[in-house]
Amino acid sequence: MEKREQSSKLTIEYIREKPIPKEIGYRVNESTEIGTLDEHGVLTVKDDGCEGCHKLNEIPAAIEWGRQINLFTLHLEE
């Protein structure tokens, strides 16, 4: 039986007033990372090693910049 490879892609866009922060912290499921926004305020993250992703329909997430934190839930797209 062939093992199915899974990957994920996350795009974060800063839509508040300028100035656009250079870096943001983000947490998806239990993994916390720091990413750099481009000049348009967009960060795209691809993960080709998404073990166990198919088991979750809802994934807890958070984004932090400065002293602000937004908590939300990601929903799996088939």
Side-chain angles (χ1 to χ4, degrees):
M1 196 171 182
E2 186 177 321
K3 185 177 176 181
R4 250 178 63 180
E5 292 294 321
Q6 292 187 339
S7 64
S8 63
K9 178 181 174 184
L10 172 68
T11 302
I12 300 170
E13 181 179 4
Y14 181 81
I15 58 172
R16 296 205 176 204
E17 62 278 347
K18 291 186 179 186
I20 296 171
K22 293 191 185 304
E23 292 184 336
I24 59 168
Y26 62 94
R27 183 178 70 236
V28 177
N29 209 7
E30 297 297 323
S31 177
T32 301
E33 303 287 337
I34 294 177
T36 302
L37 298 170
D38 68 13
E39 65 273 6
H40 304 289
V42 177
L43 168 66
T44 301
V45 180
K46 292 181 88 174
D47 181 7
D48 293 328
C50 190
E51 272 188 49
C53 289
H54 65 283
K55 295 178 184 176
L56 302 172
N57 289 327
E58 295 183 347
I59 301 170
I63 296 179
E64 177 180 355
W65 68 90
R67 295 182 177 173
Q68 298 182 8
I69 298 175
N70 288 87
L71 303 172
F72 55 96
T73 301
L74 299 173
H75 299 274
L76 181 65
E77 281 187 9
E78 301 270 339

